[in-house]
Amino acid sequence: MSLELYLDLLSAPCRAVYIFARKNSIPFEFQFVDLLKGHHHSREYIGINPLRKLPSLKDGKFVLSESVAILFYLCRKYSAPSHWYPPDLHTRARVDEFMAWQHTAIQLPMNKILWIKLLIPMITGEEVPAEKTEQTLEEVKKSMQLFEEKFLQDRMFITGDQISLADLVALVEMMQPMASNHNVFLNSSKLAEWRMRVELSIGSGLFWEAHERLVKLAEWDCSTLDPVVKERICEFLQKYK
Amino acid sequence: MGLELYLDLLSQPCRAVYIFAKKNGIPFELRTVELLRGQHLSDAFAQVNPLKKVPALKDGDFTLTESVAILLYLARKYEAPDHWYPQDLQGRARVDEYLAWQHTALRRNCLRALWHKVMLPVFLGEPVSPQMLAATLAELDETLQLLENKFLQNKAFLAGPQISLADLVAITELMHPVGAGCQVFESRPKLAAWRQRVEAAVGEDLFQEANADILKLKDLPPADPVTKEKLRPSVQALLQ
């Protein structure tokens, strides 16, 4: 059995893994786990990943979750070009630093915007209080500033002249709010240029293919959402309120 | 100037870095940054880490934040024994998996447990509703279940037969709710046995030393009004 990647490209971490595997011509079977249909809660998927999260990798009997771990694994196993995860001690540490920081500083707030601006109103029919929205938008603005000042600075890419895993992970996450028509790159031409550079480095074709499902999310007919899943989402949403 | 580590042992990630450096005989200068006095918010410390958080590492001109990155840097630079971060592809992947997962799981819940149970009400004098506390402790409980069932399972350590960075990061997180007086290990024999193994592998003396401050936290007197004001915004951000 070949390498299997369990993905739904609505999820930023899934897009990072997908793009990396495709870009590096790593042969894999795309196992679609439909988040919108709640398939990540199916018995079948729980058997593969009891954490019920995406992405997951299955390589023979070896199952791995967490996109950062999966990216490192693929990088090493398939000997990806060294610029993805540079061997120099300091440069590598910068990538590690970003990969650690982004979980709470980038991924969380970017997803929050998507929920607040699109999914919550769509699924529950309720708008999120303006104060909460403002707070989240501020958080995102601050994170983008920190990203620019600390990680990108005046470089072409986070580590220097070439794209690395850090740029890939950063960009796919910053694309998440696009599905709710929120463009986080509008305030900084530096970041907008970096965004373009990363897209071109990946290849626009592959980049936009990976983002197709995300950008069409607003067209999703959420009346097809499984009522059990809807219930779970509404419970989970209490946390945001 | 040699390696400097900016730490406060009240912080979980700082404990992990401290234990790792000491255990591996890595020479460093300890620069204490007292969180409860708001020293991390000072202009002086902002020169070291503009993100105003600990731990931070300074190695000549090179500064580094994020405990996971610091641990990996130290492991590589000082060539720590393989078991900490195995060369083996799958062994290493298991450590990476844990180190990624814990940011939004165990880390988050242990922090909230300490603050909701002790630090907010006692130190900052800000009441926490019983519902909020109950919810936080329930989430912690769920995370501990995952730690046992998904990560530890029937292994001696989280990522395999020997102690790794994953165990170090996990155990130092768990000392937070322990310091808050939560029953973390009492009803979980598997986890308790794992804790003993980790303590033995680290060395009891070093383990006690690193955890001295967090275990004394219950005896901390309330903060003065000036400190309370100073810390309030950063605490709010911390507990988002």
Side-chain angles (χ1 to χ4, degrees), chain A residues 63 65 76 94 97 135, chain B residues 63 65 87 94 97 240:
Chain A
V63 176
S65 58
R76 292 180 81 210
R94 226 24 106 209
E97 190 184 35
Q135 203 188 337
Chain B
T63 55
T65 64
Q87 276 290 356
R94 282 284 163 247
E97 188 185 40
Q240 274 284 1

Side-chain angles (χ1 to χ4, degrees), chain A residues 83-106:
Chain A
H83 64 81
W84 286 106
Y85 193 43
D88 168 72
L89 189 65
H90 290 184
T91 319
R92 180 164 286 197
R94 226 24 106 209
V95 176
D96 290 335
E97 190 184 35
F98 176 78
M99 298 299 235
W101 180 74
Q102 57 85 20
H103 288 279
T104 50
I106 304 278

